[in-house]
Amino acid sequence: MDDFTRHINEMNDCLQSFNKNNRILSDNWKDDQADRFTQSVLTKMTEASQGLIQGMENDKNGIGAMIKQMEDMEKELKHLEAGWPTP
C-alpha cells in the first residue's frame, strides 16, 4: 500500500506542477488564444487527472478496508479454532 500511496502523491505533485507551469505561461501570454486553450484543453485535462487521482485514492481506501476486514476475519478464525476440540 505504501507504493500505491507514493504513486498517488507523485501524481498529485505532477498535476500541481503542470497547473503551476500553465498558469505562468498563461500569465505571460495574456491573450485570447491562451485563455481559450486554458478553458478548452487545460481545464479538461486537469479535471480528468483529478478524477483519476481521486478514483485511485478511493480504490486504495477500499483495498485497505478489505485488508482490514480480512485480518479481522483471520483473527476471529484463529480464536474460534483455538476453542475447537483436538481430534
Side-chain angles (χ1 to χ4, degrees), residues 15-31:
L15 183 58
Q16 288 176 3
S17 294
F18 177 77
N19 288 333
K20 180 182 176 185
N21 289 334
N22 286 321
R23 276 192 305 275
I24 291 168
L25 290 172
S26 182
D27 288 347
N28 287 335
W29 288 333
K30 292 187 190 250
D31 63 5

Side-chain angles (χ1 to χ4, degrees), residues 15-54:
L15 183 58
Q16 288 176 3
S17 294
F18 177 77
N19 288 333
K20 180 182 176 185
N21 289 334
N22 286 321
R23 276 192 305 275
I24 291 168
L25 290 172
S26 182
D27 288 347
N28 287 335
W29 288 333
K30 292 187 190 250
D31 63 5
D32 290 340
Q33 187 174 4
D35 289 339
R36 284 193 302 275
F37 182 73
T38 297
Q39 292 171 0
S40 64
V41 176
L42 297 179
T43 300
K44 290 179 182 178
M45 286 178 62
T46 299
E47 290 170 355
S49 297
Q50 287 171 331
L52 175 66
I53 293 168
Q54 183 61 50

